[in-house]
Amino acid sequence: MAGARGGTEPAGGGRELLEAADGYWSRRALPGGAAHVLAAPGAEQLLLAVLTASEGDPVLARPAAAWQHPVVRILGRRVHTVPTPAEGGGVPDPVALLETVRRARAQGADPRLLVLSAADDPSGTVSAPELLHETCEAAAEAGLLIVSDETYSDTLHHRETVLLSPAEMLPEHTVVLTDLGATLVPAGVPAALARFPDTVHGTSWRQRAADVLAALRAVLPAPVAAATAYVLGEPPEVAERSAAANRVHARTAAAAYRAITEAGASCRPPQAGFQLYPTAGPSGPHAARQAEERLGAVLGRHVPGGHRFGDDPEEPRVRIATGVLLGTTEAERQAALSAADPVAVPHVAAGLAALTAAFTALTGMGAVSGSADTGSRGTGV
C-alpha cells in the first residue's frame, strides 16, 4: 500500500484489480473475464448493489451471516427465510425452499433471488455437494437467481472436504460474492469482489450494480486496490501465509469444539472459517438473547445469539468466534501462527479453558475430564 499511487479507483474497480480478481477465480475453476467482475470496499456494499440492481424479493437461509439481514432491510423489500438442514451449512433445504416460494407467491409476494453460502457463517459448516445440487435445482425450478457468498471457501479445515460453487452448476444464473477481509486483506482496509454471469443478462446486471456503487461512492482507495490486486495473485508468501493460517484456525476451532461439547453443549463440527455455532441450555422465550448475555458476561466479549442471524430466538444458539483465541495483539497471533502446537501456546490454552468454564456454567454440567487439545483427533492438519 505504501508504494501505491494516491486517489481512488473507478466505481467497481480498475483494470489491474479486476484482472487479478478474474485470475483468482480462474484458478478456482470459475473463469469469466475481468469485464464480469466488480470490486467494492466491503461485502455489504456489494450485496446492496447486487440486490438493488435486481428485481423482486430476496430469499435468505436461516440462519444467515449477521450482516445480510440489515442490508436487505435497507431496500424495504419483503425478506423470505428458509431453514437449513440439521447437518448445517448456509444452503436452504430444497423442499422447504420450494414451499416457501410457493406460499410467498400465493400471498402476492415476488421472491426472485436466493442468497446462500455453502461454506457457512455462522455455523462454520460446509454443505454437501448433493444438497447444494438439489437446492440449485430447486432454485432453477422456482425461477430464482442465486447470490453465492463464498467468503469462507478458501478456509476449509480438511483437504478431503468437497466444496462446490453454485456457479459450477448454474453458471448463467449465479453471482459469486466474496469478502476478502476474512482471508486475504486486513479487516481495517476492507475489499470485496463479485463475479457476474458471462451472459447478456449478467452484463446488464453488473452494469446496474456498478451504477449503484458509483451513486454510493463505494469505491476503493487506489493503494488498497493495488495491494489487493497483489495478494489476489497469490504469490508464494501470500499462499504460504494463507495455508499456515488455515492450519492454525483448523487446530484452534477443533480444540474449541471439543472444549464446548465436553462442557455439555451440542455443536456441529467446524469445517471452515473461524466460528462455531453451539446450542447450550434449554429452549424457551428469549433463550438466544439470554445465552448471548450470559456468555458475554463470563467471557468479557460480545457473543452474538442466534437471533442476530435470523434464527429462532427461542433456541439458545450462539456464534463463537475462534479467531479471538489466537490473541489480541500481533505478537500473540504470530506466536500462535508459528507454534508447532498452537493450542499449547499459553494464551490460547487459557482462552480454551475460559470457553470450557463459560459453557459449563451455561449448561450446568460438570466439566468432563480430558484435555481440550484435539491434535490427535483428525483435525486434518
Side-chain angles (χ1 to χ4, degrees):
M1 289 177 62
R5 61 179 175 80
T8 58
E9 291 278 283
R15 179 182 58 82
E16 180 183 359
L17 175 57
L18 299 185
E19 288 180 351
D22 180 55
Y24 168 86
W25 268 314
S26 294
R27 291 190 295 275
R28 287 154 179 79
L30 293 177
H36 302 286
V37 180
L38 283 182
E44 294 87 348
Q45 294 95 324
L46 266 182
L47 180 61
L48 179 62
V50 168
L51 294 178
T52 303
S54 61
E55 298 179 342
D57 304 332
V59 180
L60 268 60
R62 187 172 69 242
W67 60 271
Q68 293 180 5
H69 284 273
V71 170
V72 171
R73 285 197 294 268
I74 289 175
L75 295 177
R77 299 178 189 173
R78 294 180 62 174
V79 183
H80 312 275
T81 62
V82 184
T84 57
E87 53 267 31
V91 175
D93 176 86
V95 176
L97 174 63
L98 288 173
E99 180 61 16
T100 297
V101 171
R102 184 192 67 79
R103 289 183 179 180
R105 288 173 176 162
Q107 296 170 1
D110 187 24
R112 293 207 199 175
L113 199 72
L114 171 63
V115 183
L116 54 74
S117 180
D120 181 45
D121 181 16
S123 72
T125 56
V126 174
S127 294
E130 297 81 9
L131 171 65
L132 182 63
H133 189 268
E134 291 174 3
T135 300
C136 286
E137 285 187 333
E141 180 180 339
L144 300 177
L145 296 170
I146 294 176
V147 175
S148 177
D149 178 6
E150 301 185 8
T151 294
Y152 291 98
S153 293
D154 286 343
T155 66
L156 299 184
H157 294 178
H158 311 285
R159 293 180 180 178
E160 63 270 22
T161 300
V162 178
L163 173 65
L164 296 180
S165 168
E168 298 177 74
M169 304 175 187
L170 296 175
E172 296 183 356
H173 303 282
T174 301
V175 169
V176 177
L177 186 150
T178 184
D179 189 344
L180 300 174
T183 51
L184 290 177
V185 305
V189 285
L193 304 170
R195 174 191 177 277
F196 290 78
D198 183 6
T199 63
V200 173
H201 174 264
T203 299
S204 175
W205 194 0
R206 179 199 178 277
Q207 184 57 55
R208 293 194 303 272
D211 291 342
V212 174
L213 293 175
L216 297 174
R217 299 182 67 183
V219 296
L220 285 168
V224 173
T228 301
Y230 175 77
V231 298
L232 284 171
E234 299 175 293
E237 68 272 20
V238 172
E240 291 167 7
R241 172 89 179 201
S242 296
N246 279 351
R247 287 193 295 269
V248 72
H249 280 299
R251 288 292 300 276
T252 307
Y257 167 76
R258 185 176 175 191
I260 287 171
T261 54
E262 286 186 347
S266 62
C267 185
R268 288 165 291 201
Q271 298 171 290
F274 341 108
Q275 59 272 345
L276 300 171
Y277 196 55
T279 302
S283 304
H286 311 297
R289 178 178 57 79
Q290 292 169 1
E292 172 184 282
E293 292 173 352
R294 291 179 63 185
L295 279 171
V298 174
L299 292 172
R301 62 176 183 270
H302 183 51
V303 180
H307 58 300
R308 309 277 183 187
F309 307 95
D311 210 349
D312 187 347
E314 296 194 0
E315 292 297 329
R317 300 188 184 102
V318 291
R319 181 191 187 274
I320 300 295
T322 58
V324 70
L325 298 170
L326 300 178
T328 57
T329 68
E330 184 60 31
E332 287 181 339
R333 289 189 288 269
Q334 185 59 45
L337 185 67
S338 58
D341 183 7
V343 285
V345 175
H347 69 268
V348 178
L352 290 168
L355 203 58
T356 300
F359 273 88
T360 298
L362 189 65
T363 62
M365 176 179 175
V368 178
S369 61
S371 167
D373 182 4
T374 60
S376 62
R377 292 199 176 190
T379 62
V381 295

